[in-house]
Amino acid sequence: MPAPDATGQLKFRDPGRARALSAALDRLADRVGRPVTLMHVCGSHEQAIARFGLRAALPRSVDLLMGPGCPVCVTDLPEIDEAVALALQGKVVATYGDMLRVPGTRQSLGDAQAEGARVEVVYGVEQAIALAGRCADQVVFFASGFETTAVTTAAAVLAGLPENLSILSAHKYVPPAMEIVAQIPQSKVEGFLAAGHAAAITGWGLFEPFAARHRLPVVVAGFEPLDILAALLRLLELVAEQRAEVVNLYPRCVTREGNRNALATLWKVFEATGGRWRGIAEIPDGNLRLRPEWAGIDARRRFQIDVSHLQRAGVAPLTDQCICGAIMSGLATPADCPLFGGACTPDSPVGACMVSSEGTCRIWQHYGGRPDIGKVG
Amino acid sequence: MSGSDRISIEQGAGGRAMRALIEEVFLGLASPVDGIGLTALDDGAAIRVGDRWLVITTDSHVVKPIFFPGGDIGRLAVCGTVNDLAMMGATEPIGLTCAAVIEEGFSRAELLRIRDSMKAACEEAGAPIVTGDTKVMGRGELDGIVLNTAGVALAPRVVSDAGLRPGDRIIVTGTVGDHGLAVLSRRHELKLEGDLCSDVAPLNGLVRVALAAGGDGLVAMKDPTRGGLASALHEMAHKAGVGIVLEEAAVPVTPEVRAAGELLGIDPLNVANEGKAVIGVRAEVAERVLQAIQAHPLGRRAAIVGTAGTERPGSVILDTGVGRRLLSEPVGELLPRIC
């Protein structure tokens, strides 16, 4: 073992072990003898894969795609439109920085801000609560994120919000989205890498019915380079052996039943309802909305928001060429998009995947995609 | 980069956007010279005079804030020009010029402090200031002070930034990212400073020992200022038509810079340095040059960080230890006005 450096994380970044895993993946891929497509569903996984150049450590015959793993990216136009409408009504809209630049039908929150609407960037619900405490006006927390983040919103709601604070929930629930991707007829995905932090909440047992129903293996993985390589090796083994099982390779954080307290908190405040995920499909149970008993703090019930006129107005130019949906469904990569890196860049994004630091396009733009370069020496 | 009819801030940030602006506009001023001229887009020019080379360079400085941990605009102005000369192989400056454009209302005490700092840096470098120019502009017509320095030197041999061949080793003379992150944290009062400190220093003494150790085996030099090590390596790879494999774990970075970079989401490889050189050497002299640099007070943390090769000419491949990826070249504005 090398001595840990200042980052203190070398145990999970050890080059020797990474090379051994990479070599094992090569041997297994040779045995499989055909192309295999695997999918992960998490922006944090894509960050690590791209940052550490892990695709160059994979066999040529293994394609690793990112699925719908970016909550900002799947926030649909009407949800942005609702937040913009509230901001233009004079409410103070508090939200995560990435949400400002996600295009709505006509405007983003950033555009509304430039026109004088009050939009505040916060790093979490606690800051929105603090903002409401300092502010005489109505404040709306435009909440995005998967179940991991939704739990924090739910806990704040249960603890009691200031009277002038409401929640506009764009929270999403990942498991149903995996169902949709698995059901796409032209999908080549043969196995899923599940996000360790989401599974820490939901428990890995949640994936067992999924694996059985779709005859697809699932491996729960952590976020360090060796976590990911080890999980991919296990996943490829399961594919090779045609075993549709769920394996937890992140036992230092994830249990079978998950965090029961967190789940109880989540479902006391939210319910899963159907809704569109941008570019992908109508996802049954994919949206987390406040339960009816929380109507008093639900911005959708507390305030009048009508954005139907916008939906009839049609989408902005270029948006119809954006293939974010196909990318998040695993049917395309950014390299297939006519806009990628040209008309669509982080400075002037067309699709939400180029806005969010967890979006595939933004990450590929920053780190390069799967360049044709040789393996680690 | 952009099709706009106005100049954007990223076009001055030392990355690809700036190079495009220079190529589009200022290369129109170029005319043939006997040596390295404007078209080479090197750190300076080198013109043959008898059996020697006259090396000339000029640099304007607009850093904000003017005083930062480890230095100030005066020290930066002297070191920037001394280093540009040194990067061409000219380590004995004959003279520097100093032109100051000052905003009405600027503090006299601060101006004297800047003057003293220039004087100290000149003594360190052994470089006299021999002429100058002073202008004052109305309040609001510029932000504080702009300093321009030019420098001339004679050199027996010129080192360009285009001399790499496959097999050559790449040396970095110390930790990277210090200057940019020190300026940034002071500017935004991020209270991260701790030991964050600019590396601004004259490099001619260090380059002198490197040249003595490496001789003709020292083949390329560049100072990784704006755009950082990533930008410097891209330029060296592009001009020489080689690919560079950079070993991430070998690049020296202080724990403070690493921590500040992680916190701010900024890769220290993209951050400006003002007291470091990237030096390309033939493999057979690499260890000797490295040891000579490490024996110099400014080069203690020098390291061999990469190798030039034939894979992917013009690109920089980052070996992360657990994988590989192409290192992207900074396009533009990461941190405006840092040098």
Side-chain angles (χ1 to χ4, degrees), chain A residues 5-7 13-15 18 50-54 56-57 225 347 366-367 371-376, chain B residues 10 248 254-255 258 262 265 267 270 311-312 317-328 331:
Chain A
D5 77 349
T7 58
R13 297 181 184 183
D14 177 58
R51 160 72 184 79
F52 290 102
L54 297 186
D347 296 329
H366 189 77
Y367 292 119
D372 185 23
I373 52 179
K375 280 211 162 203
V376 182
Chain B
E10 70 171 17
E248 188 173 28
T254 66
R258 194 186 299 282
E262 291 217 351
D267 188 341
N270 293 340
E311 191 182 1
R312 286 263 175 169
I317 296 168
L318 184 73
D319 189 330
T320 64
V322 295
R324 293 174 115 208
R325 65 177 163 93
L326 290 178
L327 184 63
S328 52
V331 176

Side-chain angles (χ1 to χ4, degrees), chain B residues 78-168:
Chain B
V78 170
C79 297
T81 293
V82 167
N83 293 349
D84 279 349
L85 293 174
M87 292 308 116
M88 306 290 291
T91 59
E92 317 293 340
I94 299 169
L96 306 185
T97 69
C98 169
V101 189
I102 307 162
E103 185 186 11
E104 176 187 11
F106 192 82
S107 151
R108 178 183 296 269
E110 290 193 349
L111 195 58
L112 287 168
R113 218 174 127 192
I114 292 167
R115 191 268 324 263
D116 290 346
S117 163
M118 293 183 82
K119 192 158 187 284
C122 283
E123 280 164 13
E124 259 177 85
I129 288 180
V130 293
T131 183
D133 177 57
T134 308
K135 297 278 187 303
V136 176
M137 294 183 73
R139 209 179 281 272
E141 290 177 5
L142 85 163
D143 186 5
I145 185 168
V146 177
L147 286 182
N148 174 279
T149 52
V152 291
L154 286 167
R157 180 170 88 88
V158 164
V159 181
S160 82
D161 57 8
L164 290 176
R165 285 198 319 227
D168 290 346

Side-chain angles (χ1 to χ4, degrees), chain A residues 43-61:
Chain A
S44 303
H45 273 153
E46 185 61 27
Q47 274 285 356
I49 290 161
R51 160 72 184 79
F52 290 102
L54 297 186
R55 285 193 174 87
L58 300 183
R60 294 274 149 186
S61 60

